[in-house]
Every structure is written in C-alpha cells, then in structure tokens.
Amino acid sequence: QLPTGLYKKVLVILHDSVLPYMNEPTLMMDFLTVAYGIGGAISLLALNGLFILIHQHNLEYPDFYKKLYSLLDPSIYHVKYRARFFHLTDLFLSSSHLPAYLVAAFIKRLSRLALTAPPEALLMIIPFICNLFRRHPACRVLVHRPGGPADMSEDPYVMEEEEPSKSRALESSLWEIQSLQNHYHPDVAKAAAVLNQSLSEMEDDISGLLELSAYELFDKEVKKKAVDVPLEFEQVRGLFGKKNDIFAEHFSLD
C-alpha cells in the first residue's frame, strides 16, 4: 500500500526510468495491474507501464479494454495527464482487429462526454473520433444512420453500462457531434462539421492537439487581426440614429 502521492510519482517515471533497466520487467505485472484497477489518475498513469508490458512482454489482460472504457468519465477532459491518456488510448484503439461494437462504444462515450467538455479538449477529441472512423469503417453507421433520437431518453446507447458489448452503441447515432456543430466556439463548430462530408483516407495528426490549452486558444483569438464590421446600414442623423428623430431638431453630431 503506497500513499497516493507516491503512487503517482512512481508511475510517472516507471515506464522510461525503471522498466527498461530491469532484467525481468514482467515482475511489475502485479503492481501495474493493481494500480490500473485503483481508478482515477493512478489508473491513467499505469497505462504507460502496461502498454510496454503488453506490447513488448506479452502481458495478457482479458479485461483491459473494459477497464479502459470505464476510465472515460467527465473528468477525462480536464485532468493533468489528459495528453498522455489520449496518446495511449489512440495506440490501443489503432488495431484494425478490434470488434466494431467495442470501437463504437468508445466513440459514443467520448462523444457524450464531449457535450460538457471545454473547447481545447473538443478540438482534440473530434479529430480523434474521425480517426477511429477511418480505421474502423463498420462504425460509420453511427454517422450515416438517418433519423437519430429526438432526445437523450430515446437514444438506445446505455451510458451507464460498464460492459462495452452491452452498451448498444452500434444501434445509436452520433447526434452529439451534430449538436457540437452549433458550438459557441467557431473552431469547434467547424471541426464538428467535418463529419457532414466524406472523410479523407489519411488520418489527422492529433499529436499537436493533445496538449492544447485554454490559454493558447485565448491567445490565438487575441492576436487575430481585427476586422471592421459595419453595424449601421443607415447614416446616423440624430442622437438615437433615426431619420425622424425629434432630438435631431435640437442636437447634432459633429
């Protein structure tokens, strides 16, 4: 049993400062699988070590994707380790051998959580979802299914279901992304509108978007060159701008 703070410090450096120098990295299997099951930030940080053991040392983890799916909660778009988590999730979902129901469940859960996500996270997650459609064409039924649910209560997708195979994601439609096409941030609305068109074959590079911050978005807006927008279609002739303004008889604008 380790204190939470120490758990995090160990897991942050484990994958690049400890495992490569061990004669038998598989000795860390139990430690990492237990850490992965704790939940929250500790589970996110354990992903790095598990990734190395699964890909390089043949670790078998039957419920790995079920646990990864359960880590997707509203806080995932706000946590400090967001970039690391989505980088690894992208790798784990890159295999073309994954069943369509599993990928569809991830797409629907990410989309549902995106409804309350900040703009900087949305600009990353929408291309992320588009990449999943490119890798798994069988999931495109979510986009092309006509007549989606009128409201959330009619959506067959079961958000509370922990088992991806029982979430009924493939029976649903991606109305959440369609809702984001009316987002207040124009860049988010533009990104979401991409799904209205045919997706290109080449995947989007999301590496530069993983660590996008609210400060960077704000700074970008501030540095935009201002454009003069005409606000009046009639020349101002009186104090209140009307042609027959009674004030125009007594006041004038120089």
Side-chain angles (χ1 to χ4, degrees):
Q1 296 294 327
L2 297 176
T4 302
L6 185 56
Y7 240 129
K8 292 180 180 179
K9 289 180 180 179
V10 170
L11 292 171
V12 163
I13 64 169
L14 188 67
H15 66 286
D16 59 358
S17 299
V18 178
L19 290 179
Y21 303 100
M22 294 181 66
N23 292 329
E24 294 185 46
T26 51
L27 293 174
M28 300 302 295
M29 285 182 178
D30 289 340
F31 173 75
L32 286 169
T33 51
V34 169
Y36 189 47
I38 290 177
I42 292 178
S43 290
L44 300 186
L45 294 174
L47 276 174
N48 270 106
L50 282 175
F51 174 75
I52 291 175
L53 293 182
I54 290 172
H55 280 260
Q56 299 179 12
H57 301 283
N58 301 318
L59 170 65
E60 292 187 10
Y61 197 131
D63 293 328
F64 177 81
Y65 284 99
K66 178 182 176 181
K67 179 61 182 175
L68 184 64
Y69 181 73
S70 70
L71 291 180
L72 300 179
D73 59 29
S75 68
I76 203 65
Y77 292 127
H78 304 270
V79 292
K80 178 180 178 181
Y81 308 105
R82 184 186 72 194
R84 177 185 295 209
F85 173 76
F86 280 104
H87 169 69
L88 290 170
T89 303
D90 188 45
L91 290 175
F92 288 129
L93 295 176
S94 61
S95 173
S96 58
H97 299 293
L98 294 174
Y101 76 82
L102 178 65
V103 179
F106 274 89
I107 290 174
K108 274 296 291 185
R109 197 173 182 96
L110 288 170
S111 301
R112 182 67 60 83
L113 295 174
L115 293 174
T116 57
E120 62 271 16
L122 292 174
L123 291 176
M124 175 270 298
I125 202 60
I126 293 174
F128 184 97
I129 290 173
C130 289
N131 285 346
L132 291 179
F133 281 124
R134 291 184 176 100
R135 297 171 192 167
H136 308 277
C139 294
R140 295 187 184 183
V141 65
L142 295 175
V143 178
H144 300 297
R145 177 172 284 121
D151 55 52
M152 289 177 60
S153 62
E154 297 179 10
D155 192 340
Y157 173 66
V158 185
M159 181 74 172
E160 296 75 21
E161 177 58 55
E162 295 182 358
E163 184 61 57
S165 61
K166 300 178 181 178
S167 65
R168 300 177 65 192
L170 274 177
E171 302 173 31
S172 182
S173 63
L174 216 60
W175 59 266
E176 296 90 348
I177 301 299
Q178 188 174 3
S179 298
L180 292 177
Q181 293 174 7
N182 299 312
H183 197 272
Y184 69 87
H185 197 292
D187 290 346
V188 173
K190 182 179 179 181
V194 170
L195 285 177
N196 291 339
Q197 308 164 3
S198 297
L199 291 175
S200 61
E201 294 296 325
M202 185 174 295
E203 291 190 10
D204 295 324
D205 182 12
I206 64 169
S207 57
L209 302 172
L210 291 174
E211 298 189 22
L212 189 64
S213 66
Y215 173 81
E216 289 175 312
L217 282 186
F218 184 80
D219 192 52
K220 178 184 176 183
E221 294 296 324
V222 169
K223 291 180 178 179
K224 278 185 177 179
K225 187 176 181 180
V227 179
D228 292 332
V229 180
L231 301 178
E232 290 283 353
F233 61 92
E234 293 182 358
Q235 184 178 357
V236 177
R237 299 184 181 181
L239 191 62
F240 291 106
K242 297 179 181 178
K243 288 183 178 179
N244 301 321
D245 187 357
I246 190 172
F247 286 91
E249 298 178 10
H250 308 285
F251 300 94
S252 63
L253 298 176
D254 294 330

